[in-house]
Amino acid sequence: MSDDQTPADSKLTTSKRRWAAEGKFLTGRISRPETERLPPGQHLVKNWPVLDLGQQPVVSTDTWRLEVRGLVETPLTLTWAAFHAIEQSTKVSDIHCVTTWSRYDNKWKGVSTRDLLDLAMPKPEAGYVMLTSYDGYTTNLPLADFAAEDAILATAWEGLPLTADHGGPMRLVVPHLYFWKSAKWLRRIELMPDDEAGFWEKNGYHIYGDPWREQRYSDD
């Protein structure tokens, strides 16, 4: 899919636009991560539900590339081997999906976003990140959130290679935001001076997506 294309509508995208319009799943209750582990409106699961835009790109590690572009001193184009030559990290974190499920204590292995940024060297004017996936999906977040201590570019989950349905061979994990911000099948990271809306953010979802503030939709 080219850079200018966006993913085609699916049953899920249609439903989630309707949820945004209706304010579905909102409780109106505020909790704080330091005092309550489960955000408002969430329920725990032990499995890992699969949600996507109706297509799962098949990305071979032979042809996989990760680009880091925009406001960086050193633009990067990493092959699979070059990505694995970067220091590997292990993180354990909870994840929270906007569709109300949460899963505790997920063990990830991959490259810390901070380690990647150390290679790319963001310019002082860089303040935001746009993520683009192999299926054409995009999502945005502040650079400070992308560089969170527990954020990771994950290639493994629970000791096994990340499967394609969960975003393999590599996906972003930013645990403190709703999981739509943790782009699957990640292909490009662009550092920008200003914030721009990604796919779901243009379709009724919150520009930031803090689970503890219940920032599910654009008016929350």
Side-chain angles (χ1 to χ4, degrees), residues 91 112-115 117 141-152 173-177:
K91 310 280 187 181
S112 164
T113 57
R114 291 185 177 184
D115 288 339
L117 290 172
L141 67 163
L143 177 57
D145 293 274
F146 178 79
E149 183 177 1
D150 55 359
I152 189 169
V173 177
V174 179
H176 67 279
L177 299 178

Side-chain angles (χ1 to χ4, degrees), residues 135-157:
D135 64 345
Y137 177 78
T138 57
T139 192
N140 61 297
L141 67 163
L143 177 57
D145 293 274
F146 178 79
E149 183 177 1
D150 55 359
I152 189 169
L153 300 160
T155 58
W157 175 74

